[in-house]
Amino acid sequence: MKKRWFSLWMAVLLVFSAAAFSDSVYKANASAGYASVQLESYARQVAGIVNRERAANGLSPLRYSDKLSQAALVRADEIQSVFSHTRPNGTRCFTVLSEAGVSYSSAGENIAYGQRDPEDVMHSWMNSSGHRANILGSYEYIGIGVAYRNGTYYWTQFFAASNGLSGEIITLENSEATASTTKATSTTKAATVTTQSGRGEGCSKKTGADFRTRLLRLLAEKWGIEKSASNI
């Protein structure tokens, strides 16, 4: 009996140790910044394309926030193991903003993997209603995360309306684009927001959401009911 209890406690300890190690790896990767000039250039190009799309729809440009980009880079690492708006530690994606010290009145996240370059991933996102709603949403700032592993690119976008952020306006002209030296092949198609098996997802959050909004979100998460037009 004592051996059985000892084995059980050891198993629990190993699980929590693995989770703590995993979280520390994500944070270390984010604090180290981008692994290559190409990945950073890709991130800036995505921001530039976002502002191109917003201009085409009569919207003001978003400012590129380093703080949001650090959070997005954490998420680009995380979705390699868990492709979801739920983080590997079981919390929602927005908890990474709190960890980065970002306060916001509203925020949104888009994720994707497999697309071969910035134009490709933006094409996928703009052809999905949930992602498009975030890209053309009432935000002020954007952060981009791009990771590359085993021939696959992982992409994340964070959007926020906040009084505590700063950043520059990036266009395709000033995105400092560099020629790609290692492009991954892509078999990715545009995915809907609600599918968990797709290769692109989007979600958003407003602080102080009313009861109806919270109820709709809970129903969507529990039963797979399609989210409302606000994509909360």
Side-chain angles (χ1 to χ4, degrees):
M1 180 65 73
K2 289 183 178 179
K3 288 184 178 180
R4 182 180 297 178
W5 278 107
F6 178 76
S7 298
L8 179 61
W9 279 111
M10 286 299 295
V12 171
L13 180 62
L14 286 172
V15 169
F16 279 100
S17 297
F21 175 76
S22 180
D23 283 347
S24 67
V25 168
Y26 297 141
K27 293 173 183 177
N29 286 346
S31 63
Y34 282 99
S36 73
V37 173
Q38 180 192 332
L39 293 182
E40 185 172 8
S41 174
Y42 270 10
R44 293 176 64 86
Q45 287 179 59
V46 170
I49 298 170
V50 166
N51 282 334
R52 181 187 71 191
E53 297 293 346
R54 288 177 66 85
N57 285 273
L59 300 171
S60 59
L62 301 179
R63 292 187 175 274
Y64 185 81
S65 164
D66 289 337
K67 219 170 188 180
L68 274 183
S69 293
Q70 284 292 91
L73 192 53
V74 171
R75 293 288 295 134
D77 281 336
E78 291 182 345
I79 63 172
Q80 294 175 38
S81 59
V82 180
F83 186 69
S84 170
H85 294 300
T86 299
R87 302 178 66 189
N89 63 11
T91 63
R92 294 198 74 202
C93 58
F94 302 108
T95 60
V96 75
L97 297 179
S98 300
E99 292 172 4
V102 176
S103 59
Y104 58 90
S105 58
S106 61
E109 179 187 69
N110 286 344
I111 61 176
Y113 76 93
Q115 293 87 350
R116 64 182 180 272
D117 56 35
E119 290 282 359
D120 192 15
V121 72
M122 280 298 298
H123 176 78
S124 294
W125 278 332
M126 287 300 292
N127 281 278
S128 169
S129 60
H131 304 109
R132 182 184 177 91
N134 275 339
I135 292 167
L136 303 181
S138 300
Y139 299 111
E140 302 163 297
Y141 297 96
I142 189 172
I144 309 295
V146 188
Y148 183 78
R149 182 180 180 183
N150 297 329
T152 300
Y153 285 102
Y154 296 83
W155 311 85
T156 58
Q157 293 176 319
F158 257 125
F159 306 86
S162 171
N163 292 325
L165 293 173
S166 61
E168 62 176 312
I169 294 175
I170 292 181
T171 65
L172 284 177
E173 289 71 26
N174 69 5
S175 64
E176 301 174 359
T178 57
S180 171
T181 55
T182 55
K183 284 191 176 181
T185 57
S186 173
T187 57
T188 301
K189 297 180 180 179
T192 62
V193 179
T194 54
T195 177
Q196 291 296 314
S197 61
R199 298 188 181 182
E201 288 193 15
C203 73
S204 61
K205 175 185 178 181
K206 294 180 181 178
T207 57
D210 59 26
F211 175 79
R212 177 177 176 275
T213 298
R214 293 197 300 271
L215 179 60
L216 286 173
R217 184 169 63 228
L218 287 173
L219 288 172
E221 291 174 352
K222 185 172 180 60
W223 302 108
I225 299 172
E226 188 169 354
K227 298 176 179 63
S228 63
S230 60
N231 194 33
I232 293 174

